[in-house]
Amino acid sequence: MDDTAPDSRYLDIAVGVVVDRDGRLLVARRRPGTPGAGRWEFPGGKRESGETMAACLERELGEEIGVVDCRGEPIIRFAHEQGVRPVRLHVWRIHRWRGEPAGREGQQLRWVAPEALAGLDLLPATDIILNALFLPQRYLITPDFEPARERAWFAGLDAALAQGVRLLRLRAGELDDTAYERLTERVAPRAAAADARLLLDRDAAMVERVGAAGLHWPAARVAAAAARPIARPRLFAASAHDANELAAAAALGADFATLSPVRATPSHPETLGLGWAGWAERRRDQALPVYALGGVGELDLAEARACNAQGVAAIRAFWGTGGG
């Protein structure tokens, strides 16, 4: 994910999210006379000719904050045009390094707890980086709810939460709003007890009433919307099947999306899968984290991450005893 070919439309920037043992993040303040002066950012800098992005990250962190031998993993690559010029950010989470961080170019540094970041004037698109940093790699979409099999359905949910699912979408399109809300009232306490974030399919008002974490909308509903339907810090997610739908989700302010199908699935056997190459081509550098969906599971996580996915979304693979 880190050594893509240069794109003349963008300035390629390596970004290091340095995280200490207490979970604090290292941020730097832009110096006077630089674009975005006074605002806070994660350290990094632009790629030089002939340089890999990994080498760029190592060089920039050494020059800017004096740390070397950095160890970590890529979390997202995305492009945006919110600043002075279009950029493509290649972002790593750094969890080990040598040296004591210091502002070697005169910039102010600060270790900040994640919950305190909201109090800082951050550079544009930092929210996208933070979404990628804190969203899990697994996203569970629940199977249809059948009242006749209620006990088995809840057993599957409880098993998924016990196996580590921390983000889930309650998908029950066969239920009317009243029945769906009754179901959410039973699911929400289970999710909260497992410290899992629950997304609903309906509207912001129901999310507020139930105390859920946010909304997940299909692509058609996203296309018809004029504005983001729910305020942060609650999450807003979207389904997509091509690059245009992903772009629409990003434009509406979605915190993340799913892109499908990677492979044909039992629920949609007539739909041909994109394959990983097709999936990556459609995902491109859209400015939001994107989960791979459709015939994928735990064993596909490495491939998904290599294709610039946040992780994988699944029904069967993460339900019941399928993994978490």
Side-chain angles (χ1 to χ4, degrees), residues 177-297:
D177 284 352
T178 299
Y180 182 87
E181 186 162 357
R182 285 200 298 265
L183 181 59
T184 69
E185 291 168 350
R186 301 175 66 188
V187 173
R190 284 174 155 86
D195 197 26
R197 286 177 281 185
L198 171 65
L199 274 62
L200 308 184
D201 279 0
R202 305 301 162 103
D203 57 37
M206 188 182 293
V207 169
E208 296 283 351
R209 288 194 299 272
V210 175
L215 285 173
H216 186 127
W217 276 4
R221 197 167 182 184
V222 170
R228 179 185 164 104
I230 195 164
R232 293 182 173 91
R234 284 194 160 92
L235 294 171
F236 172 49
S239 297
H241 306 90
D242 57 38
N244 289 334
E245 291 178 352
L246 279 180
L252 201 63
D255 296 299
F256 69 90
T258 59
L259 175 61
S260 65
V262 179
R263 303 186 183 102
T265 64
S267 57
H268 298 87
E270 74 287 350
T271 304
L272 295 178
L274 301 171
W276 283 114
W279 190 94
E281 192 279 329
R282 288 161 178 78
R283 191 265 182 266
R284 299 179 188 168
D285 296 314
Q286 300 286 355
L288 77 173
V290 182
Y291 288 90
L293 171 65
V296 294

Side-chain angles (χ1 to χ4, degrees), residues 48 57-67 102-105 107:
E48 294 182 351
L57 179 72
E58 183 77 12
R59 176 183 55 76
E60 286 287 345
L61 294 187
E63 293 174 354
E64 284 194 13
I65 61 174
V67 299
R104 299 188 63 178
E105 297 176 342
Q107 74 276 40

Side-chain angles (χ1 to χ4, degrees), residues 135-152:
L135 285 169
Q137 294 186 13
R138 300 160 184 83
Y139 182 31
L140 168 66
I141 299 172
T142 63
D144 291 340
F145 179 78
E146 300 176 24
R149 301 187 69 251
E150 174 182 308
R151 181 174 296 181

Side-chain angles (χ1 to χ4, degrees), residues 97-181:
W97 63 90
R98 288 193 299 111
E100 185 63 30
R104 299 188 63 178
E105 297 176 342
Q107 74 276 40
Q108 181 183 353
L109 299 185
R110 182 183 297 181
W111 288 103
V112 183
E115 60 271 18
L117 286 168
L120 298 180
D121 184 14
L122 300 166
L123 280 184
T126 303
D127 58 325
I128 299 169
I129 296 174
L130 295 175
N131 283 337
L133 183 66
F134 293 117
L135 285 169
Q137 294 186 13
R138 300 160 184 83
Y139 182 31
L140 168 66
I141 299 172
T142 63
D144 291 340
F145 179 78
E146 300 176 24
R149 301 187 69 251
E150 174 182 308
R151 181 174 296 181
W153 192 93
F154 276 102
L157 172 65
D158 291 340
L161 294 171
Q163 292 159 9
V165 165
R166 294 297 175 261
L167 183 67
L168 66 152
R169 170 191 175 189
L170 181 58
R171 191 186 69 167
E174 71 283 359
L175 301 181
D176 63 27
D177 284 352
T178 299
Y180 182 87
E181 186 162 357

Side-chain angles (χ1 to χ4, degrees), residues 19-69:
V19 185
D20 72 4
R21 293 180 179 178
D22 296 321
R24 298 179 304 169
L25 312 179
L26 184 68
V27 292
R29 198 170 197 177
R30 300 285 294 178
R31 293 169 293 150
T34 62
R39 306 186 76 176
W40 294 86
E41 65 178 347
F42 296 116
K46 63 182 180 180
R47 171 163 61 179
E48 294 182 351
S49 178
E51 192 174 44
T52 68
M53 292 310 303
C56 173
L57 179 72
E58 183 77 12
R59 176 183 55 76
E60 286 287 345
L61 294 187
E63 293 174 354
E64 284 194 13
I65 61 174
V67 299
V68 296
D69 194 22

